[in-house]
Amino acid sequence: MTVRTFANPASQTAQPILSVLIPFLRDDPQPLLDALETEAAALAGTVEVVVMDDGTGDPDLTVAIETRIATFVLPVTLLTLATNEGRSKGRNRLATAARGSSLLFLDSDMRPDTPHFLGTWADLVRCDDPAVAFGGFSLLQAPTDRRFAVHRSMAAKSECVAHDIRALTPEKYVYTSNLLVRRDVFDSEGFDAAFAGWGWEDVEWAMRVSRRYPVIHVDNPATHMGLDTVQALAGKYEQSAPNFARVIAKHPDIIQGYPSFKAARLLKRIPALSAIRPWIRRVAMFEPLPVASRAFALRLYRAALYAEAV
């Protein structure tokens, strides 16, 4: 694998306790990097950022990012991969490149919700040094376009959950978009590289880790900016079905309590479900319907896909 590495001058003298790890593919992480840079002076080199282009293949973007971060006070390293490695392998590579004792996985389409986002994470590392901590999602800064209304509705219900509620089922509400992991924990439990496409690799990781380490939830959210259309979400669910099957095989005792598993098992009893499934998708795509109805249809479509695995 050919990897181009560019480290800005601030990285040379930094002694980070926390490494922020940001993978991206065919999008521009500069708005997020700019937001993180606003905290640089207060952090004084205790937090570094390692950002990785997972095979976008855009030399102009690479140069633009390198030029931008060269002037940053925040220590930043850019890894540019010649070909795509995928979500699990890519995050494992980022962890290898990091120098901090704790790792913060942050997706490139996230935006901090407070001006002291990194500072809060760094303080938590200094004071408590948790094995695993999730900071939470919000939609505070997310786009409000009508084409994203269904995803916004679904995310508000299932992902943007208060930290005290998340703590009741700690392994369930773990996503690699605002996730703190102590290095020794990650060294013992990396992401399963056998997961392909989209979905479930972070939840499976959390299931595995929660058997050995405590998973805590804190109130330090970031906005998920990357809302999808119904068509894009349906495509991701189609990709995720084999990953869901892998989770069932690895953690049957945990996954059986999840609503997605229960719904899939119920739908499996329906005769000719495979013939009905495309019609459920069409209902979700039908724009004149109320958002709540389309969201329900899309969840039903996901469960119908997952029925093949239960």
Side-chain angles (χ1 to χ4, degrees), residues 282-306:
R282 289 187 181 96
V283 172
M285 297 285 293
F286 191 54
E287 293 189 6
L289 285 176
V291 167
S293 300
R294 298 178 69 199
F296 175 78
L298 191 56
R299 287 193 294 270
L300 193 64
Y301 178 64
R302 178 179 59 193
L305 288 167
Y306 291 175

Side-chain angles (χ1 to χ4, degrees), residues 6-275:
F6 176 87
N8 71 354
S11 296
Q12 309 306 317
T13 57
Q15 296 182 320
I17 62 170
L18 173 63
S19 297
V20 184
L21 308 182
I22 306 172
F24 72 93
L25 175 64
R26 293 189 291 274
D27 57 7
D28 188 348
Q30 291 179 84
L32 173 57
L33 294 174
D34 287 343
L36 299 179
E37 170 68 1
T38 63
E39 294 192 60
L43 296 170
T46 59
V47 177
E48 70 168 355
V49 174
V50 185
V51 59
M52 186 186 74
D53 181 346
D54 194 9
T56 298
D58 185 346
D60 291 340
L61 179 59
T62 300
V63 171
I65 296 172
E66 290 177 352
T67 302
R68 188 71 153 268
I69 65 177
T71 63
F72 273 21
V73 175
L74 191 68
V76 184
T77 299
L78 171 65
L79 307 179
T80 304
L81 276 58
T83 57
N84 177 255
E85 277 195 325
R87 293 161 62 91
S88 294
K89 286 184 179 180
R91 289 186 174 94
N92 290 340
R93 179 183 291 276
L94 278 165
T96 300
R99 294 179 289 171
S101 60
S102 287
L103 314 172
L104 177 65
F105 292 93
L106 190 65
D107 281 354
S108 61
D109 60 359
M110 303 297 286
R111 298 292 182 275
D113 282 344
T114 70
H116 45 78
F117 174 77
L118 291 181
T120 297
W121 279 123
D123 288 343
L124 184 67
V125 171
R126 290 191 194 93
C127 297
D128 298 332
D129 198 23
V132 181
F134 183 66
F137 278 166
S138 87
L139 295 169
L140 290 177
Q141 306 170 68
T144 57
D145 309 40
R146 176 176 170 76
R147 61 196 175 113
F148 301 133
V150 172
H151 193 184
R152 172 180 276 275
S153 173
M154 295 175 68
K157 182 177 181 179
S158 62
E159 295 177 358
C160 301
V161 181
H163 69 284
D164 54 340
I165 303 301
R166 287 186 264 121
L168 299 176
T169 49
E171 86 292 335
K172 179 180 179 181
Y173 294 102
V174 170
Y175 310 96
T176 50
S177 44
N178 190 11
L179 175 66
L180 182 79
V181 186
R182 202 170 61 220
R183 177 177 288 279
D184 65 292
V185 175
F186 194 80
D187 286 346
S188 66
E189 296 286 357
F191 290 105
D192 184 349
F195 279 85
W198 183 87
W200 290 98
E201 78 283 347
D202 43 8
V203 178
E204 187 282 325
W205 177 87
M207 290 176 178
R208 185 163 20 101
V209 168
S210 67
R211 298 181 188 276
R212 299 178 58 190
Y213 303 97
V215 177
I216 69 169
H217 287 266
V218 299
D219 186 20
N220 191 24
T223 293
H224 179 207
M225 301 292 290
L227 297 180
D228 286 315
T229 63
V230 171
Q231 184 174 2
L233 270 180
K236 287 182 174 180
Y237 293 155
E238 289 154 9
Q239 288 183 41
S240 72
N243 287 350
F244 184 71
R246 186 169 179 81
V247 174
I248 294 173
K250 297 184 72 171
H251 306 281
D253 56 327
I254 298 178
I255 195 67
Q256 287 180 21
Y258 281 31
S260 52
F261 180 89
K262 294 177 180 178
R265 188 164 53 182
L266 284 172
L267 288 178
K268 191 176 183 68
R269 302 173 185 172
I270 298 176
L273 178 61
S274 60

